[in-house]
Amino acid sequence: MQIDIITIFPAYFREAFDYGIIRRACAAGLVSIRAHDLRAWTTDKHHVVDDRPFGGGDGMVLKPEPIFAAVQSLVGASRRESMAAEKRVVLLSPQGKSFTQALAAEFANCEQLVFICGRYEGVDERVAEALVTDEISIGDYVLSGGEPAALVVVDSTVRLLPGALGSETSAANESFSDGSLDCPQYTRPPEFEGMRAPEVLLTGHHAEIARWRREAALEKTKRNRPDLLK
Ligand code: ADE
């Protein structure tokens, strides 16, 4: 898989993928991740990427030309309709549809993902209208730019690539894979400052442990994310 990130802060990503599962996936050749400076696709002397919004208002808006040029050079197309189904161009923005585990799984099947990190007050809407295949928000809060959101989406996608996790089964049993949260986990010591780990987990009784885990996961989902059970 090829991942390209278009940003005005490429240095933000310098070490971001050098840890843990993502580093291993890169080292194993499962994915190649590159961050590109949007300014490389400007044609003026001062490498201007933004301008004032039509109609007035605060802040600056990212101009369409460098973004369309960047996607044309990275994907070989600058209209959504002319892109191969295995290529996705993702705009990170608080106006996007919600990012989910299901979308991460869909992205993990792609051949190329291009992320456009929004900045300032926004991105010229013609980018969302004609260029991007997916406009995505990572949650109902506003970040100062799309960069942290791109990290989140890349991380959750790359760890789903076949071979990225230690064991092929570990992605199947985790939170959201079946619509609820993962069960609580404990490790040694069995008693810590008067708090005991659940006895059933120490018995080696596989059927009972599995039952306890199902119930504990359901309890935790009810408590922290009742919306998932509706
Ligand atoms: N840019 C600013 N806020 C964002 C959010 N919540 N998700 C994705 N990109 C963003």
Side-chain angles (χ1 to χ4, degrees):
M1 171 184 278
Q2 173 66 44
I3 295 181
D4 295 287
I5 303 169
I6 301 167
T7 170
I8 58 168
F9 297 134
Y12 179 91
F13 297 94
R14 211 178 278 145
E15 285 192 10
F17 305 115
D18 283 352
Y19 301 92
I21 291 166
I22 311 305
R23 180 195 181 99
R24 277 217 315 270
C26 293
L30 303 179
V31 61
S32 161
I33 308 175
R34 291 181 302 188
H36 307 270
D37 190 344
L38 177 61
R39 293 182 202 282
W41 285 281
T42 54
T43 51
D44 63 304
K45 190 166 90 190
H46 298 290
H47 303 293
V48 175
V49 292
D50 59 345
D51 208 336
R52 286 168 301 164
F54 281 142
D58 292 336
M60 299 291 269
V61 175
L62 286 182
K63 294 159 62 62
E65 303 96 316
I67 299 178
F68 275 76
V71 172
Q72 173 66 49
S73 80
L74 294 169
V75 182
S78 57
R79 288 294 183 278
R80 174 171 46 242
E81 309 81 68
S82 36
M83 280 166 207
E86 311 74 45
K87 298 182 178 219
R88 306 282 277 261
V89 178
V90 179
L91 172 64
L92 285 322
S93 104
Q95 287 82 40
K97 65 177 175 180
S98 300
F99 186 60
T100 60
Q101 186 69 19
L103 203 47
E106 216 179 296
F107 286 171
N109 282 317
C110 290
E111 158 190 308
Q112 183 181 20
L113 298 174
V114 176
F115 293 95
I116 302 166
C117 301
R119 270 279 142 186
Y120 306 114
E121 295 310 301
V123 177
D124 187 286
E125 189 64 17
R126 286 166 286 196
V127 170
E129 279 167 10
L131 184 60
V132 309
T133 59
D134 303 82
E135 182 172 7
I136 289 192
S137 164
I138 61 160
D140 292 342
Y141 39 79
V142 180
L143 304 166
S144 51
E147 284 79 6
L151 283 187
V152 166
V153 176
V154 168
D155 186 289
S156 55
T157 298
V158 168
R159 63 190 291 289
L160 295 180
L161 295 177
L165 295 181
S167 105
E168 287 296 328
T169 57
S170 39
N173 294 321
E174 63 193 13
S175 288
F176 308 112
S177 56
D178 67 350
S180 67
L181 302 180
D182 203 356
C183 65
Q185 302 283 1
Y186 295 84
T187 187
R188 288 186 290 179
E191 181 165 336
F192 168 69
E193 298 189 355
M195 298 175 279
R196 279 200 68 75
E199 294 304 328
V200 58
L201 299 179
L202 311 177
T203 60
H205 207 296
H206 296 299
E208 282 189 22
I209 289 171
R211 191 157 71 105
W212 181 88
R213 285 183 165 159
R214 271 195 307 277
E215 285 168 8
L218 189 61
E219 268 315 301
K220 185 135 190 168
T221 309
K222 268 188 202 153
R223 183 154 31 94
N224 286 349
R225 293 293 307 278
D227 55 298
L228 292 176
L229 297 172
K230 289 204 184 104

